């Protein structure tokens, strides 16, 4: 029973209980007050907002939840109150140990340790060590591991327990506690659990009206919070109830360590409560079960038939034995073994071992390489569970090739190639770090903050290429180039370029395989000029003119610079000569941003949600799409895009824009829309102006080109690129890519080879076939051999989908590739040579990949390969500090239906090191209002209104 009559009697007698006294009616827990309010106690006095109980919680991590006695009532208790205090532990004290809730907790804690990437044996040993050394496993985790979210731990462990089906009120327990004389004692719960679990247990047991309150461990207080059997915990509990005389405390607990600690502090009476576990008696064979009796009779009849010389009917005997209960089958096996002759036992043993080997573990009997390939297909969590099956599986799952494969999958969309560890056995450690990185992203847990100081005016624009180079522009008239290559130290400013008030910028980083220099294009606020600099030296190369008002956005690739201005015009320059090669006249509204696609097309978006696509060579518009119309005819998308209609008003005005290759992201204050164009095969070459024509492709999806389209398959292909966010440009493709296999498969084979794996050869016949398909203009849909991680990683691992164009065969700093002409083939028609390539089909409407609903935000950035969106609210002085937040969201492009129920996507507020910064480094002040954001694989970079840049 919980608690047993002996334990209850001890507590009752210790509390000097005499007669039953009615319990006060239930009072709601104290309500949080706003800063600056005064709390009024029951006796009419007032106290400051930060209560004594709250100060105790902040100092010790021991908190209080009032049930019938609030914090205010505790303050009102007079020093002359002579009543004793009766403390009850909750777990395994107020409910039966036979519920096995403790076992369920242990399983969940062990699963949490396994989720950290620990081997099963090490996870179990560490769990027990932390429990014995620190009193609670979570306290050991917080003290010895970084990136642990204590409240997430509580949700996964105590919060996931099926208490509703295990706990219910018990009349004996209720009566026992009711009998305590409240004129002589007060009754509290004293637990090591977090308040959520404690309240659940008390309420499910129907005892909330009998306890004055709950003293609990506040896991969120940090690694130094106190818990039983710490002396600090018992001291904090005494301070909370305002009783200094330890002899007035009477304590019931199921832990000998806790009882010993309280007794050592001089508590009046400490009762160790131990409940005898009930003995489970298995049903006797041959009971009253009618079905079991029929099965036994059937087996007896079969055995009797054998004795009478009848033929052995194996199937009939098997069927009858299988109909027996498990205890009966074991008993029958024992009878056979008892009846066997001594010489039969060895043969029986071999038969049993053979059955176990064949029917239970096929994988262990396979060649090691084949078994490793099977385990390679498992997600990380399933892999860790498989290691618990047997020693053979534990050995197989530790194979370096398995963990290398997972490391490649986790970093396939990273900007920087993964460096192999010196010891192949360390691949598992690499995966663990990557797994924690992705988990921290999904939870918004920042691990550190680094500052880039130097700007004196607000930061208006930033661009980040890979993980190494950041360029920032400010209203103070300077451009700064930052070196981020060493993440262990603060970013270093390598160059300061003086210009004028910067409105926007983009840059192109030189690569060893390209003759294009490192270039920086910066658009100015009010002069309509674009300044072009050599990024390596800071030398001014050209001043590009063509706008009569300030520049809003600029983009650069290996051939062109394109800009949009306040004058609603779009201008394109050849940056090698500084000459303007095209100008597209005034649009209907001001453009928000522009992106270069391939080497001869651009996409511009106006603030009213109109997307226009232009051919630079043909000097014509090839498509115009209204954002609101893209969802027309689809009930889900139509409802979610209603803000972008004319009726949406100000809510439909776009505030920020990002683009990468064939995908773009546009956002209003509360809606983020991600779009992708399908790919098709196009023939490269100059376009003639005679092909010009204008139509709204939103109204008609018929393409003007005869080449087939293909829709990118995010579930089968991932790309690895360097650019991570806004308006990344693409470079001219000059080399032919292999058509022998899918780009993703070829890339994964090459990555495995470079990291110690084996790159299988590709049949030459495939090359011939693919070239033939390109030559005839047939559609191609390559499939990937890349292995994506299971979605069971709770959004901690990167999606297998990525930007829709295939991966580059090499990288350069701008995010563009030398294999932009994917599937490129050359054929000669007489004396005319043409080339074909995969490219976004801008003549048809883009498809809606995802629509995310957000709080009211003003700026943001996108990492398309990781399917990650970062956005920020306005940090205005009129906005409360708790509403000044940066949000990390993810979306699943492979399954748009996943957000069909309103558009909400998994999101988290940025916390950790970002939220804990204080003093001069406080990042939530109105002076630190985010003006622009960039994001890469491992960090978020924010430019602020006071000139500070941090990541």
């Amino acid at each position: 029973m919980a608690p047993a009559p002996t334990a209850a009697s001890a507590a009752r007698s210790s509390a000097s209980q005499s007669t039953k006294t009615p319990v006060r009616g239930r009072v709601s827990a104290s309500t949080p007050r706003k800063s600056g309010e005064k709390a009024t106690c029951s006796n009419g006095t007032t106290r400051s907002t930060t209560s004594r109980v709250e100060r105790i919680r902040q100092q010790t991590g021991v908190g209080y939840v009032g049930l019938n006695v609030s914090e205010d009532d505790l303050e009102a208790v007079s020093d002359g109150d002579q009543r004793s205090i009766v403390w009850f532990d909750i777990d395994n004290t107020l409910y039966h140990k036979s519920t096995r809730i403790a076992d369920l907790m242990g399983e969940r804690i062990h699963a949490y340790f396994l989720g950290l990437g620990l081997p099963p044996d090490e996870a179990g040993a560490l769990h027990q060590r932390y429990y014995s050394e620190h009193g609670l496993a979570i306290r050991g985790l917080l003290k010895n591991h970084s990136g642990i979210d204590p409240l997430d731990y509580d949700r996964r462990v105590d919060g996931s327990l099926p208490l509703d089906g295990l706990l219910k009120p018990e009349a004996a327990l209720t009566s026992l506690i009711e009998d305590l004389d409240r004129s002589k004692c007060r009754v509290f719960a004293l637990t090591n659990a977090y308040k959520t679990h404690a309240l659940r247990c008390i309420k499910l047991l129907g005892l909330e009206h009998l306890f004055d309150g709950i003293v609990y461990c506040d896991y969120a207080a940090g690694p130094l919070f106190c818990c039983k059997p710490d002396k600090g915990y018992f001291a904090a509990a005494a301070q909370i109830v305002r009783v200094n005389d330890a002899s007035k405390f009477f304590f019931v607990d199921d832990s000998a360590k806790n009882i010993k600690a309280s007794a050592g502090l001089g508590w009046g009476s400490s009762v160790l409560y131990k409940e005898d576990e009930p003995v489970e008696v298995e049903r006797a064979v041959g009971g009253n079960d009618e079905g079991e009796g029929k099965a036994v009779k059937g087996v007896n009849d079969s055995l009797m038939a054998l004795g009478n010389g009848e033929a052995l009917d194996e199937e009939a005997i098997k069927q009858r034995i299988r109909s027996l209960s498990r205890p009966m089958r074991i008993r029958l096996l024992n009878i056979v073994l008892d009846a066997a002759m001594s010489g039969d036992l060895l043969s029986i043993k071999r038969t049993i071992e053979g059955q176990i080997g064949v029917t239970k573990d096929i994988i262990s009997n396979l060649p090691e390489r084949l078994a490793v390939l099977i385990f390679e297909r498992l997600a990380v969590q399933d892999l860790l569970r498989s290691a618990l099956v047997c020693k053979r599986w534990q050995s197989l799952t530790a194979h370096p090739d398995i963990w290398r494969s997972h490391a490649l999958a986790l970093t396939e969309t990273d900007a920087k190639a993964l460096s192999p560890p010196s010891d192949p056995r360390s691949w598992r450690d690499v995966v663990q770090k990557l797994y924690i990185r992705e988990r921290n992203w999904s939870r918004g847990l920042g691990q550190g903050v680094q500052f880039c100081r130097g700007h004196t005016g607000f930061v208006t624009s930033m661009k980040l290429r890979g993980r190494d180079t950041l360029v920032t522009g400010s209203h103070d008239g300077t451009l700064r180039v930052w070196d981020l290559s060493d993440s262990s130290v603060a970013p270093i400013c390598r160059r300061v370029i003086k210009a004028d008030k910067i409105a926007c910028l983009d840059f192109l980083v030189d690569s060893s395989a390209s003759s294009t220099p490192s270039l920086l294009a910066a658009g100015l606020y009010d002069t309509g000029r674009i300044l072009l600099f050599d990024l390596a030296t800071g030398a001014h190369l050209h001043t590009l003119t063509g706008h009569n008002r300030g520049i809003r956005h600029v983009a650069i690739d290996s051939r062109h610079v394109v800009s949009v201005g306040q004058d609603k015009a779009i201008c394109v320059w050849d940056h090698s000569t500084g000459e303007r090669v095209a100008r597209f006249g005034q649009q209907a509204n001001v453009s928000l941003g522009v992106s270069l696609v391939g080497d001869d097309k651009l996409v511009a978006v106006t603030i009213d949600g109109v997307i226009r696509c232009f051919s630079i060579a043909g000097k014509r518009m090839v498509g115009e799409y209204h954002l609101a119309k893209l969802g027309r005819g689809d009930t889900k998308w139509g409802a979610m895009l209603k803000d972008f209609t004319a009726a949406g008003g100000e809510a439909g005005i776009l505030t920020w824009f990002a683009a990468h290759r064939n995908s773009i992201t546009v956002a209003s204050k509360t809606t983020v829309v991600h779009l992708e164009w399908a790919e098709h095969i196009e023939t490269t070459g100059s376009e003639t102006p005679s092909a010009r024509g204008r139509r709204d492709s939103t109204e008609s999806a018929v393409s003007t080109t005869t080449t087939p389209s293909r829709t990118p398959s995010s579930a089968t292909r991932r790309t690895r690129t360097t650019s991570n966010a806004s308006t990344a440009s693409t470079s001219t493709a000059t080399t032919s890519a292999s058509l022998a296999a899918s780009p993703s498969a070829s890339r994964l084979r090459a990555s495995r080879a470079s990291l110690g794996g084996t790159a299988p050869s590709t049949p030459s016949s495939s090359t011939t076939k693919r070239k033939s398909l390109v030559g005839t203009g047939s559609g191609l849909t390559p499939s990937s051999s890349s292995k994506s991680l299971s979605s069971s990683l709770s959004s901690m691992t990167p999606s297998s989908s990525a930007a829709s164009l295939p991966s580059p065969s090499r990288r350069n700093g701008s995010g563009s590739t030398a294999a932009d002409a994917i599937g490129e083939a050359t054929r000669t028609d007489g004396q005319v040579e043409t080339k074909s390539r995969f490219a976004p089909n801008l003549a048809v409407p883009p498809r809606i990949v995802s629509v995310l609903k957000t709080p009211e935000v003003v700026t943001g950035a996108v990492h398309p390969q990781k399917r990650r969106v970062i956005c920020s609210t306005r940090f205005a002085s009129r906005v409360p500090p708790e509403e000044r937040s940066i949000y990390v969201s993810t979306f699943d492009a492979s399954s748009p239906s996943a957000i069909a129920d309103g558009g909400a996507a998994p999101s988290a507020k940025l916390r950790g090191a970002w939220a804990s910064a204080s003093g001069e480094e406080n990042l939530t002040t109105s002076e630190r209002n985010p003006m622009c954001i960039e994001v890469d694989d491992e960090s978020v970079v924010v430019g602020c209104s006071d000139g500070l840049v941090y990541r």
Side-chain angles (χ1 to χ4, degrees), residues 597-601 679-685 687 705-708 774 777 820-825 834-843:
V597 180
D599 60 348
D600 59 354
K601 295 182 180 65
E679 301 169 11
H680 71 154
I681 305 170
E682 68 176 13
T683 302
T684 60
E687 234 184 298
T705 178
T706 58
T707 56
V774 174
D820 220 8
I822 302 296
E824 185 177 46
T834 61
K835 294 182 179 180
S836 297
R837 65 177 180 181
F838 285 131
N841 189 0
L842 302 182

Side-chain angles (χ1 to χ4, degrees), residues 460-509:
T460 55
S461 184
M462 297 188 303
K463 281 295 181 294
L464 179 64
R465 294 287 180 255
R467 296 184 194 167
D468 298 337
T469 307
L470 171 71
V471 179
T472 59
S474 171
H475 199 262
D476 63 7
T478 63
L479 296 155
R480 292 178 178 267
V481 183
W482 305 87
D483 182 357
L484 311 181
S485 57
D486 188 353
S487 60
S488 63
V489 299
I492 301 172
C493 182
R494 296 297 187 189
R495 183 164 290 101
V496 179
I497 302 175
K498 294 184 178 181
D500 204 338
K501 295 179 180 180
I502 306 299
C504 53
L505 64 88
D506 195 9
F507 69 95
L508 183 71
V509 176

Side-chain angles (χ1 to χ4, degrees), residues 608-667:
D608 56 353
V610 179
I611 303 168
R612 294 182 176 89
C613 308
F614 298 89
S615 168
I616 297 175
K619 298 182 180 180
R620 67 183 184 91
M621 186 171 73
V622 297
E624 180 180 86
Y625 315 106
H626 294 266
L627 194 57
K629 294 180 181 179
L630 292 176
R632 181 177 293 176
D634 187 305
T635 55
K636 176 184 63 176
W637 297 133
M640 296 172 68
L641 296 178
K642 63 181 180 181
D643 288 346
F644 297 101
T645 62
E650 187 177 342
I653 299 298
L654 299 182
T655 57
W656 59 275
F657 159 86
H660 178 80
R661 298 177 67 83
N662 69 327
S663 67
I664 66 169
T665 301
V666 294

